[in-house]
Amino acid sequence: MATMNMQAELNCMIEKFPGLKPKILSLFDRSLEFQTLCYDYFLCIKSLDQWESNIKKGEEFVYEYKIIKKDLESELLRYIDTEDQRVG
């Protein structure tokens, strides 16, 4: 039977390919190479999820900073315009 530390990889495979559960369980029990492939797939999925999450967070920050940039530009131009009126 699969060891406890491989449970996450095994569950990942069964969730992805539920119709192949009996074959997955059998291969997982018999093949170290298949276990390694499952582990690699599990790490890939986890990394991809993390990168996608980071990209979404990054996009939110970019959007927020674009708003701040526009606000600052407007404020700077108002300040410059006010200074021109004082001087001129």
Side-chain angles (χ1 to χ4, degrees):
M1 208 21 107
T3 59
M4 289 303 280
N5 62 346
M6 295 295 242
Q7 196 63 40
E9 296 85 58
L10 186 56
N11 288 337
C12 180
M13 288 296 297
I14 292 169
E15 285 176 15
K16 179 62 181 173
F17 306 106
L20 300 174
K21 183 177 178 179
K23 288 183 180 183
I24 290 170
L25 290 172
S26 177
L27 280 169
F28 200 86
D29 281 342
R30 293 182 288 121
S31 172
L32 186 57
E33 184 177 354
F34 185 73
Q35 288 180 15
T36 301
L37 285 170
C38 291
Y39 180 71
D40 290 346
Y41 180 73
F42 174 74
L43 289 181
C44 177
I45 295 297
K46 281 185 64 170
S47 296
L48 183 59
D49 287 346
Q50 189 172 21
W51 279 106
E52 287 175 338
S53 175
N54 288 340
I55 287 170
K56 287 178 187 173
K57 288 177 187 172
E59 288 173 348
E60 291 170 8
F61 283 125
V62 167
Y63 177 75
E64 289 174 17
Y65 272 89
K66 283 183 176 182
I67 291 172
I68 292 169
K69 177 183 167 243
K70 274 187 155 188
D71 289 346
L72 288 169
E73 289 170 349
S74 295
E75 193 171 336
L76 285 164
L77 289 173
R78 268 196 308 274
Y79 191 89
I80 292 168
D81 187 48
T82 302
E83 184 62 22
D84 284 348
Q85 290 175 4
R86 279 190 231 147
V87 174

